[in-house]
């Protein structure tokens, strides 16, 4: 456990936490809760971490040779939610944890759901907490929901969360079954249920097999053959019953053979038959209620599910059968935390945590583990005793880009690595290979701190462990993509107080590029219109070569300090480019100017100063307003909003076109709400979305490999778009049919705009 400064949300600076036990262990004494039951602990803390800040110098007093701006590392406090699961066999550990970390003031409130702690704590309404928790994870964790496909290459198929999560059906399978229709944040209704649920499976299973542990019962079921116990359609009719559309392998009677056969049945076969019987009953009930209320989103939760492949498979099969594939059974990565999250949020209502956006901290979360007993017993034992989810409060409220053509079908990432084994192996290898360089860069950014080496080594161990986990369990954090690998690395760097390892490199490159800005602009102005447009486009692409996140480039930049703008232009692929819509773009430029262009910028230095600014300068001269969207926080050598403010101020002092555009508010700088080298257009700063809407944006420009290739390559927008990048990875270039430094110049017009 990392040292934390605690500051509880709920009520007059009270320390508020909760712990929750699974429904099935109600009315038992604490010390006796064993077997399948869990305790969940939730708490809020404020975490101190270092943040790199940039501040402009007073340029009137600037001495020649001084850097453009100063960099300082400051302490910042952010809010973090922690959710921990313990097996009740380890309840003493849980109570010690509470004593050591939570109960350290005289004022304390402990909240719980379920009945196990009724003498110790304030009790919250269980169903309300469950729904609040479900709403929270669906809104704040992309790819929270998944479909389970047992025999597919990827068992877990993560779903894109609909921007509007309501309405949905939640089937909570505890001792019995509750079926809840959720229509809004605080509007839900229990519309049905059944007494035949998880408790039935456990109770009857114990009677049939003499097995008392829930997990052991599931293990037996996973090895059994239900056809030895169940009577099938073909056992009655000799084959299929065609006129009724019943296949021969369909169960006609659960446990039907036990009434007509004298032989002993194995524990495994009886457990499997029982599991099918309960699951089919629940599946049919769920389908009937979904049809009755016209709902297509059906989530399953409760201790009966708890990520067990064998129960997820039987529920999935049942839903597919009864709806003929029209409704999918959806499961949740953090299903086991829902009640704890909800009870915590309920206790913190006066601070209104729902007004913020939250993001999963990959560095502190243990991820979704496979609990299949036969798959990975060591991993299962570890995750079973102590499982953690951490959520960080984000500074900005995040919303969809208003220009997404269909937000419900938008998928940011180009390749899903859980479904592409070859790509997955390559990128995991790639990130492992790059680890030494990242550690070296982190230490170099804090040369004056003797403990930096020790912290960098801890970062290396943590990130390498994450990569090893993902190699064995690609689904651990939802969709596995190049973006998630990059974001996990950034989270781990921040965890060990390396907020901006590239800050000094960015400072140096920005200083250098500014010296050449006027020369580049002057040389462009002397060209004819057609030549000028091509030179600006080529300059934008050449600037994008300067990406320290690409190993092929960082190796060149470290070995050849003289490598500059002109050399980068020479590296570019000659036309025709790998993706080449330049001719269509030029034809469009011969028409009327765009009203407003939104430009998602990429790297510091040559990229932003000598590539982007001359390009947007031409747009401004044409009469197009420009919004430059940059990262809110640092990632690799990407320019941040605070750095861009200073750079723009310096460029405006040299260039009357930029100066006038700023003064007349035709050039705006807005942060995008992200600290990632990639771009998720469904999680952008709300202020940016407002600016885009108010200015009538009709052109979106996305630049760079991270933002336009790894993400958004297939993104469909409701206005014109340019996606520009230089492929700086030879493996990826070959996969796309090109070579290293191949160019993507993708100009897209939505079909209705073409008509």
């Amino acid at each position: 456990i990392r040292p934390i400064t605690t500051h509880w949300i709920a009520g007059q600076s009270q320390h508020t936490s909760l712990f929750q036990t699974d429904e099935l262990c109600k009315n038992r004494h604490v010390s006796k809760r064993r077997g399948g039951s869990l305790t969940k602990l939730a708490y809020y803390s404020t975490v101190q971490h270092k943040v790199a800040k940039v501040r402009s110098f007073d340029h009137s007093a600037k001495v020649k040779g001084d850097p453009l701006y100063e960099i300082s590392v400051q302490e910042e406090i952010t809010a973090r939610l922690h959710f921990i699961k313990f097996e009740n066999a380890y309840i003493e550990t849980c109570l010690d944890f509470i004593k050591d970390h939570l109960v350290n003031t005289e004022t304390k409130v402990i909240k719980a759901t379920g009945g196990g702690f009724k003498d110790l704590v304030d009790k919250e309404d269980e169903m309300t907490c469950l729904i609040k928790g479900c709403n929270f994870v669906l809104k704040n964790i992309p790819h929270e929901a998944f479909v389970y496909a047992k025999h597919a290459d990827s068992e877990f198929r993560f779903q894109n969360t609909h921007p509007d999560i309501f309405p949905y059906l939640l089937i909570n399978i505890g001792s019995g079954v509750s079926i809840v229709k959720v229509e809004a944040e605080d509007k839900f209704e229990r519309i049905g249920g059944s007494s035949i649920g998880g408790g039935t499976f456990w109770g009857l299973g114990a009677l049939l097999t003499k097995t008392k542990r829930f997990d052991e019962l599931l293990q037996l079921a996973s090895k059994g053959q239900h056809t030895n116990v169940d009577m099938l359609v073909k056992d009655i009719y000799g084959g299929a019953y065609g006129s009724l559309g019943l296949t021969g392998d369909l169960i006609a009677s659960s446990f039907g053979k036990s009434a007509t056969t004298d032989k002993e049945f194995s524990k495994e076969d009886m457990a499997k038959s029982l599991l099918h019987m309960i699951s089919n009953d629940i599946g049919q009930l769920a389908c009937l209620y979904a049809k009755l209320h016209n709902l297509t989103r059906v989530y399953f939760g409760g201790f009966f599910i708890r990520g067990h492949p064998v129960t997820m498979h039987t529920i999935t099969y049942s839903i597919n059968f009864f709806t003929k594939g029209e409704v999918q059974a959806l499961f949740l990565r953090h299903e086991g935390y829902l009640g704890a999250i909800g009870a915590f949020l309920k206790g913190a209502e006066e601070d209104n945590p729902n007004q913020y956006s939250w993001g999963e901290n990959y560095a502190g979360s243990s991820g979704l583990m496979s609990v299949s007993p036969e798959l990975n017993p060591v991993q299962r034992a570890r995750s079973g005793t102590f499982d953690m989810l951490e959520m960080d409060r984000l500074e900005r409220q995040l919303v969809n880009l208003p220009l997404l053509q269909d937000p419900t079908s938008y998928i940011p990432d180009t390749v899903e690595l859980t479904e592409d084994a070859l790509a997955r192996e390559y990128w995991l290898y790639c990130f492992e290979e790059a680890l030494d360089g990242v550690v070296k860069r982190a230490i170099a950014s804090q040369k004056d701190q003797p403990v930096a080496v020790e912290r960098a080594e801890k970062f290396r161990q943590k990130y390498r462990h994450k990569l090893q986990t993902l190699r064995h369990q690609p689904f651990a954090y939802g969709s596995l993509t190049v973006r998630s690998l990059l974001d996990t690395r950034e989270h781990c760097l921040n965890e060990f107080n390396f907020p901006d390892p590239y800050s000094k490199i960015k400072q140096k490159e920005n200083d250098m590029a500014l010296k050449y800005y006027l020369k580049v602009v002057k040389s462009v102005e002397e060209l004819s219109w057609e030549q000028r447009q091509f030179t600006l486009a080529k300059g934008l692409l050449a600037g994008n070569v300067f990406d320290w996140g690409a190993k092929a480039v960082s190796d060149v930049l470290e070995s050849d300090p003289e490598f500059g703008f002109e050399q980068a232009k020479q590296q570019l692929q000659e036309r025709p480019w790998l993706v080449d819509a330049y001719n269509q773009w030029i034809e469009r430029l011969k028409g009327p100017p765009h009203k407003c262009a939104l430009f998602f910028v990429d790297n510091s230095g040559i990229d932003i100063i000598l590539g982007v600014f001359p390009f947007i300068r031409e747009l401004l001269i044409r009469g197009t307003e420009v919004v430059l969207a940059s990262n809110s926080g640092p990632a690799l050598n990407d320019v941040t909003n605070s750095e861009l403010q200073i750079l723009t101020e310096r460029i405006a002092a040299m260039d009357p076109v930029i100066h006038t555009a700023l003064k007349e508010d035709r050039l705006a700088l807005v942060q995008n709400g992200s600290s990632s080298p990639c771009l998720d257009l469904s999680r952008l700063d709300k202020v940016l979305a407002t600016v885009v809407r108010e200015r009538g944006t009709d052109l979106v420009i996305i630049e760079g490999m991270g933002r336009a290739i790894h993400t958004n390559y297939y993104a469909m927008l409701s206005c014109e778009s340019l996606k520009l990048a230089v492929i700086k990875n030879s493996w990826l270039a070959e996969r796309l049919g090109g070579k290293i430094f191949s160019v993507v110049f993708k100009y897209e017009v939505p079909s209705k705009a073409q008509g």
Side-chain angles (χ1 to χ4, degrees):
I1 307 295
R2 289 178 312 286
I4 53 171
T5 307
T6 53
H7 171 74
W8 302 101
I9 288 181
Q12 291 79 47
S13 301
Q14 291 174 347
H15 283 227
T16 302
S17 66
L18 70 91
F19 52 91
Q20 171 205 16
T21 60
D22 273 347
E23 182 189 15
L24 209 71
C25 65
K26 285 184 179 178
N27 303 321
R28 298 189 192 173
H29 191 267
V30 170
S31 62
K32 291 181 181 175
R33 268 187 296 268
R34 307 277 178 195
S37 55
L38 295 176
T39 295
K40 289 97 172 189
L41 172 70
Y43 66 97
Y44 168 104
S45 73
T46 49
V47 184
Q48 280 196 329
H49 62 97
K50 297 193 183 300
V51 181
K53 299 277 187 184
V54 298
R55 188 170 66 86
S56 182
F57 284 114
D58 175 8
H59 294 294
S60 59
K62 189 175 187 295
V63 179
K64 192 174 181 183
D66 278 354
L68 173 67
Y69 50 80
E70 64 173 330
I71 306 162
S72 62
V73 175
Q74 300 172 15
E75 291 286 341
E76 197 167 270
I77 292 175
T78 54
R80 178 171 288 174
L81 296 179
H82 309 249
F83 303 101
I84 300 169
K85 284 192 299 192
F86 294 84
E87 277 191 9
N88 278 354
Y90 300 86
I91 191 67
E92 291 80 7
T93 311
C94 175
L95 293 172
D96 287 344
F97 185 92
I98 293 168
K99 181 183 168 188
D100 294 344
H101 294 272
L102 310 183
V103 188
N104 57 2
T105 67
E106 289 183 19
T107 314
K108 49 190 176 286
V109 178
I110 297 177
K111 298 188 181 295
T113 65
F117 288 95
K118 63 180 185 295
D119 297 327
L120 303 176
V121 298
D122 297 340
K123 194 176 169 203
E124 294 289 357
D125 176 69
E126 192 159 358
M127 194 52 70
T128 303
C129 295
L130 198 68
I131 302 304
K132 279 187 176 292
C134 194
N135 294 341
F136 181 84
V137 296
L138 287 173
K139 283 192 300 187
N140 289 289
I141 304 181
H143 306 122
E144 171 63 26
F146 62 89
V147 171
Y148 183 74
K150 184 181 179 181
H151 301 297
D153 289 340
S154 173
E155 290 174 85
F156 299 82
R157 291 182 178 168
F158 293 93
Q159 307 296 294
N160 214 39
T161 304
H162 195 289
D164 182 7
I165 64 171
F166 307 109
Y168 65 85
L169 203 62
L170 178 64
I171 317 293
N172 190 52
I173 315 170
S175 301
V177 179
S178 285
I179 299 175
V180 186
K181 179 183 179 182
V182 185
E183 295 183 86
E185 194 65 53
D186 295 306
K187 187 181 178 185
F188 65 89
E189 177 189 2
R190 186 184 187 276
I191 55 174
S194 171
S195 62
I196 300 172
T200 316
F201 174 69
W202 197 348
L204 276 178
L207 289 172
L208 288 166
T209 67
K210 308 301 181 207
T211 301
K212 296 293 185 185
R213 285 182 63 95
F214 184 78
D215 285 0
E216 286 176 14
L217 199 55
L218 282 179
Q219 190 169 359
L220 288 175
S222 69
K223 295 174 180 174
Q225 282 293 334
H226 76 96
T227 53
N228 293 334
V229 184
D230 293 342
M231 190 173 287
L232 308 182
V233 168
K234 66 184 178 185
D235 294 325
I236 302 172
Y237 299 106
Y241 196 149
S243 61
L244 292 180
L246 303 176
T247 63
D249 290 328
L250 202 63
I251 298 171
S253 175
S254 294
F255 288 92
K257 287 178 181 172
S258 61
T260 58
T261 309
D262 291 332
K263 71 170 189 175
E264 289 286 319
F265 296 101
S266 74
K267 291 179 180 182
E268 289 83 359
D269 292 348
M270 288 190 291
K272 187 60 169 281
S273 175
L274 181 62
L275 182 66
H276 276 293
M277 184 179 84
I278 305 276
S279 298
N280 287 340
D281 186 59
I282 294 169
Q284 187 167 33
L285 263 181
C287 293
L288 290 170
Y289 277 105
K291 284 183 178 179
L292 187 64
H293 292 268
N294 197 27
L295 296 170
T296 55
R297 278 173 280 179
V298 183
Y299 299 105
F300 287 84
F303 88 89
F304 182 70
I305 303 294
R306 207 198 290 165
H308 290 290
V310 66
T311 55
M312 291 191 296
H313 174 63
T314 51
I315 289 285
T316 299
Y317 179 87
S318 173
I319 293 289
N320 284 343
F321 176 80
F322 288 116
T323 69
K324 296 182 171 58
E326 289 178 14
V327 174
Q328 286 186 315
L330 295 169
F331 305 96
L332 301 170
R333 281 176 59 211
H334 300 102
E335 177 277 322
Y337 295 104
L338 301 186
I341 292 171
F344 190 87
L345 295 173
K346 201 166 185 300
E349 274 174 345
E350 66 182 61
D351 291 270
N352 192 11
N354 277 322
Q355 72 181 309
Y356 304 103
S357 291
W358 300 77
E360 184 174 1
N361 173 32
Y362 295 136
S365 298
S366 45
L368 175 72
M369 299 298 180
S370 172
V371 292
S372 175
E374 63 271 22
L375 272 182
N376 198 335
V378 176
Q379 192 110 34
R380 181 178 168 272
R382 195 187 73 245
S383 66
T385 51
F386 197 91
D387 208 11
M388 182 181 272
L389 163 66
E390 288 187 351
M391 299 286 289
D392 286 344
R393 192 174 80 193
L394 307 177
E395 295 301 311
R396 326 290 297 179
Q397 199 171 349
L398 304 182
V399 297
N400 273 307
L401 177 70
L403 298 170
L404 282 173
Q405 199 171 82
D406 178 14
T408 63
S409 63
Y410 168 68
I411 297 171
D413 303 286
T414 306
V415 178
E416 171 54 75
L417 299 180
T418 61
E419 296 174 9
D420 189 332
L422 193 66
R424 178 170 73 244
E425 191 48 47
Y426 171 75
W427 286 111
L428 286 170
Y429 167 79
C430 215
F431 278 89
E432 279 180 348
E433 282 291 289
L435 194 48
D436 285 346
V438 177
V439 168
K440 181 181 165 188
R441 185 65 49 210
I443 295 168
S445 71
Q446 297 181 9
K447 281 181 183 171
D448 54 335
Q449 296 190 29
V451 291
V453 175
E454 186 185 333
R455 282 189 284 111
E457 193 51 45
K458 285 179 180 175
F459 154 73
R460 184 207 302 273
Q461 291 168 10
K462 180 97 169 188
Y463 189 57
R464 180 172 283 149
H465 173 70
K466 295 285 179 189
L467 293 174
Q468 287 167 350
T469 298
L470 290 166
R471 179 166 270 117
H472 295 109
Q473 292 167 306
F475 48 79
Y477 296 97
S479 284
L480 178 61
T481 61
V482 173
R483 173 168 65 106
S484 68
L485 290 169
L486 285 163
D487 290 351
T488 302
R489 189 168 70 185
E490 293 299 322
H491 290 189
C492 291
L493 282 165
N494 280 317
E495 201 72 4
F496 294 101
N497 280 325
F498 293 106
D500 194 358
Y502 291 84
S503 56
K504 290 184 170 67
I505 288 175
K506 289 189 289 182
Q507 184 188 40
K508 181 182 172 186
E509 290 184 349
N510 286 332
D511 253 354
M512 184 66 70
L514 276 171
K515 294 172 184 172
Y516 294 96
Y517 175 75
L518 286 177
K519 182 183 175 185
V520 168
V521 167
K522 194 165 182 292
S523 67
V524 166
E525 283 179 330
E526 292 169 354
L527 300 171
S528 66
W529 185 85
E530 291 245 1
Q531 284 180 314
R532 187 160 74 247
Q533 304 316 310
F534 183 68
T535 302
L536 288 167
K538 197 172 176 183
L540 190 55
L541 293 161
N544 193 243
V545 168
F546 293 84
D547 180 357
W548 281 85
K551 193 172 186 299
V553 175
S554 60
D555 287 350
V556 170
L557 295 176
E558 282 189 329
S559 61
D560 183 7
E562 300 302 311
F563 186 84
F565 194 42
E566 294 307 316
Q567 288 89 332
K569 284 182 185 176
Q570 290 163 21
Q571 291 285 345
L572 294 181
Q573 174 192 17
E574 293 292 323
R575 288 194 69 199
W577 293 323
L578 182 62
V579 176
D580 195 335
Y582 179 75
N583 292 345
Q584 292 93 312
W585 170 245
I586 277 296
E587 286 307 306
R588 172 61 187 88
L589 287 182
K590 290 174 183 174
H594 296 89
K595 188 174 189 307
C596 177
L598 168 63
F599 198 130
F600 288 100
V601 299
D602 191 7
N603 306 301
S604 291
I606 287 175
D607 189 355
I608 184 71
I609 295 166
L610 305 185
V612 173
F613 265 99
F615 189 89
I616 62 144
R617 184 180 188 273
E618 182 75 8
L619 291 177
L620 290 165
I621 291 169
R622 275 173 57 80
T624 300
E625 291 182 18
V626 175
V627 176
L628 291 181
S630 54
N631 270 10
S632 300
L636 295 171
N637 66 316
D638 293 358
V639 66
T640 63
N641 186 256
S642 53
E643 290 161 348
L644 187 57
Q645 299 277 355
I646 294 168
L647 294 178
T648 307
E649 176 194 313
R650 293 292 293 122
I651 290 169
M654 295 188 274
D655 185 346
V657 172
I658 302 298
H659 177 81
T660 306
L662 276 175
K663 193 176 175 183
E664 295 174 353
D665 195 33
R666 290 189 302 108
L667 172 61
L669 313 179
V670 187
Q671 53 186 304
N672 62 20
S674 170
S675 300
S676 169
C678 296
L679 181 65
D680 181 351
L681 297 174
S682 68
R683 285 172 70 81
L684 291 177
D685 190 337
K686 194 175 182 179
V687 174
L688 176 59
T690 304
V691 169
V692 164
R693 211 179 275 112
E694 288 175 349
R695 291 187 180 239
T697 303
D698 53 357
L699 172 65
V700 174
I701 304 170
I702 306 176
E703 179 210 10
M705 253 175 70
R707 291 170 181 79
I709 304 293
H710 294 312
T711 52
N712 299 304
Y713 190 73
Y714 298 117
M716 303 294 287
L717 301 175
S718 59
C719 67
E720 295 172 52
S721 64
L722 269 180
K723 296 169 188 173
L724 313 168
V726 177
I727 312 291
K728 291 151 289 197
N729 175 287
S730 52
W731 182 88
L732 181 61
E734 281 175 31
R735 238 195 181 205
L736 294 172
K739 296 177 180 174
I740 196 159
F741 298 120
S742 287
V743 168
V744 170
F745 194 101
K746 200 176 187 187
Y747 171 58
E748 294 173 313
V749 181
S751 51
K752 62 180 179 182
Q754 285 174 324

